Amino acid sequence: MASTTLSTTTCFTSSEAFKHPLPQIRQFHRDLTTELDEKNARLRTLVGGSYRQLLGTAEQILQMRKDIREVEEKLGKGVCGGGKEEEGGLTKRLLRAVEKTLVSTKDGEDREDLVQALCAYSLATSSGAKDVLRHFLNRSIGCAENETLLKDESIRDLEGLRLDVCERWFGDEILYFTPYVRHDDLEGSLAVDTLRGWAKKASEVLLEGFTKTLQGGLDFKVVVELRTKILEVWIRDGGKARGFDPSILRDGLRGVVNKRLVELLETRVGKLHLVGTEIESTLATWDKGITDHHASLWDEDMMATELSNGGNIFKQDIIARTFGRNDTVSRVVNSFQTWRHLIEEIGTVIDELKKQRWDDDLEDIEDDESLDSRQNLLSKEDPQMLQGHLDSSLEKAFQELHTKITTFVEQYKDSEHSGKISMYILRILRDIRAELPSNPSLQKFVAGRALWEGTPELPVQPSPATFKFLRGLSTSMADAGADLWSPVAIKTLKVHLDSQVKEKWSKVLQEKTASNEITASSIDTSDAQNSAETEESEKEVHSKVDGELDEEKQKDLLKQYLFDIFVLQQALASQSKQSGDMEKGITGMKLKDLSEEIEVKIKLEMQERKRVGSAAKEYWKRTGLLFGFLV
């Protein structure tokens, strides 16, 4: 007898079952009966559920057949909506989507979406091309592709339409439906007029926006750079835009830029009033012994000056003390120098505009006349206009400064500090006159003149130009080498310079006398070969326009010329040895002839003439050693 328990999970045959005791066999029989009943019940449940599911599926198939028949009928009739109300709602949604697409579309991007949105608007509202153009202003319309609607990939990708299943039941009217946007109501002439209207409006918007952009605190140089870039773009691509006249919009852009440049120019020039404001502030708070204090070159604090970096601070301190530039004078001079730097920057930018080339036609489609006209407008007329405004603005600004300084002198002439105040103003005028901007219109600005003495007042110092000439001549001779300058070489050089200076100075005087204008001359130096063994410096006289000076200022200028000529006579005098004595004689008589010519023009009395000559000799006696080889 087997010792294991009889179980339905281990016993599979009757012979195995009868090997166990009878009680176990009976229990085994009951277990088998119970399992059989459970499986019969599960089988009945499974078969019943599948049958019911099958019946439900059959019912769904019948319902689908009914629904398909209804859809086929509606599609056959071309009905796309479920009623007028639903159709109206869908139309509104479509129009909102179209508007959203148009707003979100960027220039040059998503052009396909833009075209489709315009077509959708036309289809939804049954509008023609004219109506679509009027509604969307500067939008062009037209379908991107001329194909049937159901072949469009974007429509076929809509999963909700199930075109892969339902397409077979569509009629030919739907299958081959092609959208058609009406355009027969838009005539050619009307299209041209509409396009021109848009172009005009677009030009106005562009110029208005450009004007606002330029008002955004841009610097003069930045505005000029922006001018160059935008004109380059318009010249290159402006002719491609339909409805626009390239020359008209170009002139509009020029007008906007030029107006802003003139405003910036006048604002910058107008800052010269800060110099007068600084002077006024100093005079209003004048403190004796402090405001007018001037340090000496021999003060002990000079010994403690920093000598690093090549002794720049030490050098600047020496220059400041030599020219009496204390803190009050330096503040005004520094303010003027800062302003002058800004004006020179404008002059540099204007010169760059004159050098720009606008006649490089990359596509070679413009004639020579158009290229010349454009070059003349952009590189000649515009810079000339800016230069004219700069000159007139500078003249006005300096005239206002002159008036303000004159007012200060009159206001404080009876003050107990009038003497010190006069010295303070004189030092400022000296430094301003020495650094005037290089504009011809300013050469007539005489806020003060070099210190004259006596009664009547006559010059006792040469003009800065004459001093620079003598200094430059002496420096050039030293650079050439001391071994070259024998007495004979120096004498030959002086004779040559005497002739050259007289010739060029006389020519300038004759030209300006003929036009009733007196021209100030600046004298520069240049090296020239005198002979095989000598090198010399020549003087070049460059005329600068003074403007229409009144008669009194003309006479003052000629008096200064006369003093300068007397100084040059002393400088160009040569040493000649006669009878064992060194006598100083003028070997060249050219400058003497020039001085006599000027004396005739100003009708100088003999006594005044002697005073000027004596002052020139005295000046040369004091300063001659500064000019080395010329003594």
Side-chain angles (χ1 to χ4, degrees), residues 477-598:
M477 294 172 69
D479 292 341
D483 59 302
L484 294 177
W485 302 111
S486 63
V488 175
I490 293 177
K491 180 179 178 180
T492 303
L493 173 63
K494 289 183 176 182
V495 171
H496 178 75
L497 289 177
D498 176 73
S499 175
Q500 290 295 309
V501 171
K502 191 270 178 183
E503 178 183 347
K504 295 187 177 182
W505 209 328
S506 296
K507 183 178 180 181
V508 172
L509 287 176
Q510 291 173 1
E511 292 176 353
K512 298 310 176 184
T513 300
S515 60
N516 293 324
E517 294 181 356
I518 303 299
T519 302
S521 301
S522 63
I523 307 174
D524 299 327
T525 61
S526 62
D527 295 336
Q529 188 70 26
N530 181 49
S531 62
E533 69 277 358
T534 63
E535 183 177 350
E536 64 183 17
S537 300
E538 292 185 352
K539 174 182 177 183
E540 295 181 356
V541 181
H542 302 284
S543 61
K544 295 181 179 179
V545 179
D546 278 320
E548 297 180 356
L549 301 176
D550 56 35
E551 184 177 355
E552 186 65 28
K553 291 180 180 178
Q554 292 180 16
K555 291 184 66 176
D556 287 347
L557 189 57
L558 287 174
K559 290 177 182 178
Q560 185 64 56
Y561 282 175
L562 184 61
F563 184 88
D564 291 347
I565 292 172
F566 284 160
V567 172
L568 290 176
Q569 284 180 300
Q570 295 294 319
L572 300 181
S574 62
Q575 300 287 348
S576 61
K577 189 172 184 180
Q578 297 178 357
S579 303
D581 297 328
M582 296 296 293
E583 297 181 357
K584 193 170 186 178
I586 301 178
T587 59
M589 302 299 293
K590 302 295 185 179
L591 285 176
K592 183 177 180 181
D593 295 339
L594 180 61
S595 65
E596 293 175 352
E597 181 181 344
I598 294 178

Side-chain angles (χ1 to χ4, degrees), residues 404-516:
K404 182 175 288 189
I405 293 176
T406 303
T407 302
F408 295 154
V409 173
E410 291 294 326
Q411 181 179 352
Y412 292 96
K413 67 179 181 180
D414 297 327
S415 170
E416 60 176 325
H417 310 301
S418 59
K420 295 292 185 180
I421 290 176
S422 298
M423 297 177 190
Y424 166 73
I425 293 178
L426 186 61
R427 288 188 171 99
I428 292 174
L429 293 178
R430 175 199 62 201
D431 289 341
I432 290 178
R433 290 173 62 240
E435 298 187 25
L436 287 175
S438 56
N439 292 73
S441 61
L442 298 184
Q443 301 310 312
K444 68 179 182 179
F445 173 72
V446 186
R449 65 187 180 190
L451 186 60
W452 288 18
E453 296 179 354
T455 305
E457 293 183 346
L458 292 173
V460 294
Q461 293 181 0
S463 64
T466 300
F467 183 87
K468 290 179 181 178
F469 165 68
L470 293 173
R471 181 61 180 166
L473 178 60
S474 177
T475 302
S476 297
M477 294 172 69
D479 292 341
D483 59 302
L484 294 177
W485 302 111
S486 63
V488 175
I490 293 177
K491 180 179 178 180
T492 303
L493 173 63
K494 289 183 176 182
V495 171
H496 178 75
L497 289 177
D498 176 73
S499 175
Q500 290 295 309
V501 171
K502 191 270 178 183
E503 178 183 347
K504 295 187 177 182
W505 209 328
S506 296
K507 183 178 180 181
V508 172
L509 287 176
Q510 291 173 1
E511 292 176 353
K512 298 310 176 184
T513 300
S515 60
N516 293 324

Side-chain angles (χ1 to χ4, degrees), residues 291-303:
T291 306
D292 56 359
H293 175 71
H294 291 279
S296 171
L297 281 172
W298 311 110
D299 288 345
E300 293 182 358
D301 59 350
M302 281 290 294
M303 302 299 296

